[in-house]
Structures are given as structure tokens and as C-alpha cells.
Amino acid sequence: MAVIETQAALHEAHRDNHTHRDVNGGWLRPAVFGAMDGLVSNLALMTGVAGGAVSQQTVVLTGLAGLAAGAFSMAAGEYTSVASQRELVEAELDVERRELRRHPQDEENELAELYVSRGVEPELAREVARQLSKDPEQALEIHAREELGIDPGDLPSPLVAAVSSFGSFALGALLPVLPFLLGATGLWPSVLLALAGLFGCGAVVAKVTARTWWYSGLRQLALGGAAAGVTYALGSLFGTAVG
């Protein structure tokens, strides 16, 4: 009795711990990419303009314009990209659906051969394929997973991707502008806040992806800092040349 209870407890623990994060929901990549892009691009844009020795008002206006333009551009790009990908997948699913309707036996044999290639005994593979092919929608789902590597019921949403991208870009791009809006008169508060935001974003992404938080944070900090430094130098060079 004690052995049975122990096995049951181990089964419960395995079931509770053996879960996976949502990797196909369509929001994580655009949200992360949007926040990073907003921080890096707007910080680099503002430092580049500031390097040209322009007025504080011009730097702030540049940051706000970069925020708005970048957020709308990211949202439109993500929506179009994900929508196009989804339409392509749906077109392939329609092809597979027609094949299942026109040549059901051939598709069943194809599924059985796939299981045989993975080590299942031929007789068992044929029986499994026969049973799974009874339901057309279930057969479509299985063929889509095995042949296309997709789940028909878990396709990414273009709207979710667009909204995630828009919001995260705007939030990231706001950080370099925020000190000026709160009364700062120099560039350094914006740079320091943006760099801190880059480190924080990198650390948060590491938590989601189970990577080392400090390495991910420092990597993003270094990349963003390098971009800001290069654009500031270019702004100074071009500002001097134009002036």
C-alpha cells in the first residue's frame, strides 16, 4: 500500500512539474524584440542628434517622433509578417485537407510509413494510423504536426503580435525620453536610464528563457551602449561638418 501511495505521489509531482511555457502564442518574440528595439533605436537616435550639438527641445522632439514612428512601424510590420505566415500555413492546411478527402487511404499509408520510420512495428503502425484516421479533423492535425511541424489549433495571432510589438516598443522608446519630460537638462540621465532598462530587459528575457540573467543583461547593455556611442560619434562628426 505504501509503495502504491509513493508511486502515486511521484506521478503527481511529475505531472505538476512537467509543464512547458507557451512558445507559440505569438506575443513573446514581438514583445521582447519591440522593447529592445525601442530602447536601442530611440537611445541611438537621440544620442546621434544630441551629438550634433542641437537644442534640448530638438532632442526631445526627436525622441517623441522616434517613439511614435517606431511603434506604428513595428506594429504594422509584425501584423503583416504574422498574417502572411498564418495565411501560408492555412493554405498548406487546405492542401492537406483536400488530400485527406480525395486520397484517404494513401494518406493513412503515409502516416503508417512515418511511424514505421520512427521505429514502430509495421503492423502496429498501420493499426495506429487506421484508428487515428477515423476522424478527419484529428487526421488533419496529426498530418500537419508530422509533415509541416505546426499545430493547426495554435497558430499565432497577427493582432496579438501587433499589439504586443506596439506597446513594448513604445514602452522601451519612452525610457530615453522620460528624464527630459521630468525636467532633466542633460543627456546623461537619459543614457543611464536607457542602459539600465537594457540591462533589465536582458535579465527579464533570461528569466523567461532560463538563461543566466546577468550575462543576458550585460550582453544587451553592451550592444545598446555600443549603438549609442557610435551614433553619438557620428552625430558629432556630421554636426561639425554641417556646422
Side-chain angles (χ1 to χ4, degrees):
M1 189 67 177
V3 173
I4 296 176
E5 291 178 352
T6 301
Q7 290 178 341
L10 291 174
H11 175 72
E12 289 291 332
H14 172 76
R15 186 185 65 182
D16 293 340
N17 293 325
H18 194 72
T19 57
H20 298 282
R21 290 179 285 259
D22 176 20
V23 296
N24 293 318
W27 64 271
L28 180 59
R29 185 190 66 85
V32 171
F33 180 67
M36 297 294 191
D37 192 27
L39 268 167
V40 174
S41 64
N42 220 28
L43 174 63
L45 179 64
M46 291 175 64
T47 54
V49 171
V54 298
S55 66
Q56 176 182 322
Q57 183 179 5
T58 301
V59 175
V60 175
L61 183 59
T62 299
L64 292 175
L67 185 157
F72 281 109
S73 176
M74 285 286 292
E78 280 295 333
Y79 186 91
T80 303
S81 174
V82 175
S84 299
Q85 179 187 8
R86 188 183 180 105
E87 289 164 0
L88 175 61
V89 170
E90 289 174 345
E92 291 300 313
L93 289 175
D94 287 339
V95 171
E96 192 64 35
R97 189 177 286 109
R98 286 196 299 271
E99 289 299 311
L100 285 167
R101 185 173 59 252
R102 295 173 180 174
H103 309 287
Q105 190 57 52
D106 291 339
E107 291 295 316
E108 182 180 320
N109 293 339
E110 184 179 299
L111 191 60
E113 291 172 2
L114 178 64
Y115 289 141
V116 169
S117 70
R118 294 186 176 181
V120 180
E121 294 181 358
E123 184 177 349
L124 178 59
R126 286 192 293 272
E127 178 61 20
V128 170
R130 185 187 68 81
Q131 293 189 28
L132 293 176
S133 299
K134 289 181 178 179
D135 182 355
E137 286 304 313
Q138 177 177 259
L140 175 64
E141 182 177 329
I142 294 170
H143 278 275
R145 286 177 175 173
E146 298 293 348
E147 297 177 24
L148 303 175
I150 59 174
D151 184 352
D154 193 26
L155 300 180
S157 167
L159 183 59
V160 169
V163 171
S164 299
S165 184
F166 181 93
S168 59
F169 185 98
L171 183 61
L174 178 63
L175 284 184
V177 187
L178 192 58
F180 286 106
L181 299 179
L182 295 178
T185 57
L187 184 64
W188 277 110
S190 292
V191 173
L192 293 176
L193 181 60
L195 293 179
L198 286 168
F199 182 86
C201 283
V204 168
V205 171
K207 289 294 183 181
V208 174
T209 58
R211 297 295 296 268
T212 306
W213 66 271
W214 56 266
Y215 173 79
S216 182
L218 288 176
R219 178 179 60 185
Q220 197 58 42
L221 174 64
L223 292 173
V230 169
T231 54
Y232 184 85
L234 290 174
S236 299
L237 178 63
F238 293 149
T240 302
V242 173

